Amino acid sequence: MLNKAVKVLRIYHSFSQQDIATELGLSSAGYNAIEVGKVDVNFTRIKELASVYEMKPSTLIEFSECLLKPKKLARKFPELNQTDLLRAINNVLKQPN
């Protein structure tokens, strides 16, 4: 679910895949592989992804674990605009990888 979480965050923050790929020093295809779940993400990459969104790695993991529980997500992350967040989640979850 981490792959979907980083996609939700990217959409929520209005970043392109290329924006994030550049931040991480990856090609667009390399970053896309993360979002579609084609590659396993190690802890170093989790730290880098979390850094892009100015959060701790544990927070990124917690965000991914709450993704299918909107009420819990709203409670744990009240600083996020809930309307925009739900729009991003719905956009991601309705897509087949």
Side-chain angles (χ1 to χ4, degrees):
M1 195 53 101
L2 184 67
N3 62 315
K4 294 195 183 294
V6 295
K7 187 171 184 177
V8 166
L9 287 168
R10 179 180 60 77
I11 291 169
Y12 176 84
H13 289 284
S14 301
F15 292 138
S16 69
Q17 283 189 339
Q18 184 60 55
D19 293 335
I20 305 302
T22 299
E23 275 291 315
L24 300 177
L26 298 172
S27 66
S28 291
Y31 178 73
N32 183 63
I34 292 172
E35 280 195 1
V36 298
K38 287 187 178 179
V39 296
D40 290 329
V41 180
N42 63 29
F43 189 70
T44 299
R45 186 67 73 201
I46 290 171
K47 288 192 311 189
E48 293 169 348
L49 286 162
S51 176
V52 169
Y53 299 107
E54 299 178 351
M55 58 176 54
K56 296 177 184 176
S58 60
T59 304
L60 176 58
I61 292 167
E62 183 176 22
F63 182 87
S64 72
E65 291 171 350
C66 294
L67 202 55
L68 296 176
K69 302 170 187 166
K71 288 182 182 178
K72 186 174 183 180
L73 201 58
R75 254 189 347 270
K76 295 260 184 191
F77 301 94
E79 69 278 9
L80 300 177
N81 178 297
Q82 298 305 303
T83 302
D84 292 343
L85 182 59
L86 287 175
R87 187 176 300 122
I89 290 169
N90 289 333
N91 181 310
V92 170
L93 296 182
K94 73 179 180 185
Q95 298 174 357
N97 281 344

